[in-house]
Amino acid sequence: MINVENEVFSTVATALRATVTGIFVSGEYVAAPSTFPAVTLVEDDNAVYQRSMDSSHTENHAAIMYTVNAYSNKTSGKKAECKAILAVIDQQMQDMGFVRVNANPVEMAQASIYRMIARYRAVISKEKLVYRR
């Protein structure tokens, strides 16, 4: 299995912590964070890219997808804060070669919390080179 999860998480988390004061960043999904602002960055899919398998069934590339959740509980400006957080993440993911496939708000049971979700995809080689799909 081609594994780049630590590299991706570290790159994004470092940029967020340098940009957003007091942000909580997790590599696991959290339904309701205890501190805000908050981000979860989860590798949701890591599948063999079958087009590049050779006759020995060696995994040469993997199709990888990440899901990001950004949360804010500001009294005013929740949406703007989530969008600013996603802008930082978007820049880091694009710099690594990922493509954003969607980004949209998600309705929360608690109206005091605003949440946006985004998904990113890329094909990554066993040498850890990232290809846009």
Side-chain angles (χ1 to χ4, degrees), residues 10 16 62 67 78 83 111 117:
S10 292
L16 283 170
T67 300
K78 291 183 272 218
K83 284 188 173 199
I117 189 170

Side-chain angles (χ1 to χ4, degrees), residues 22-37:
I23 193 161
F24 168 77
V25 185
S26 175
E28 298 176 9
Y29 176 71
V30 178
S34 57
T35 62
F36 294 91

Side-chain angles (χ1 to χ4, degrees), residues 7-132:
E7 293 93 333
V8 170
F9 180 82
S10 292
T11 298
V12 173
T14 300
L16 283 170
R17 289 177 181 135
T19 309
V20 183
T21 304
I23 193 161
F24 168 77
V25 185
S26 175
E28 298 176 9
Y29 176 71
V30 178
S34 57
T35 62
F36 294 91
V39 165
T40 62
L41 174 65
V42 179
E43 186 177 275
D44 277 339
D45 195 17
N46 185 325
V48 174
Y49 189 65
Q50 293 178 351
R51 292 181 179 180
S52 67
M53 283 186 76
D54 57 29
S55 59
S56 68
H57 303 290
T58 300
E59 180 179 6
N60 293 304
H61 297 86
I64 297 179
M65 182 178 71
Y66 281 89
T67 300
V68 172
N69 286 279
Y71 302 87
S72 175
N73 69 343
K74 279 188 163 184
T75 304
S76 177
K78 291 183 272 218
K79 182 178 183 179
E81 183 172 48
C82 282
K83 284 188 173 199
I85 290 167
L86 282 182
V88 172
I89 295 166
D90 202 60
Q91 186 63 57
Q92 296 303 311
M93 295 300 281
Q94 286 185 36
D95 286 352
M96 288 185 281
F98 284 81
V99 174
R100 186 182 67 251
V101 294
N102 72 351
N104 54 300
V106 176
E107 195 170 316
M108 295 287 291
Q110 289 179 307
S112 63
I113 300 172
Y114 192 84
R115 174 180 165 205
M116 289 191 75
I117 189 170
R119 289 191 175 86
Y120 296 86
R121 288 198 162 172
V123 173
I124 300 179
S125 73
K126 62 185 175 185
E127 293 84 17
K128 296 188 179 183
L129 296 173
V130 180
Y131 300 90
R132 293 180 187 262

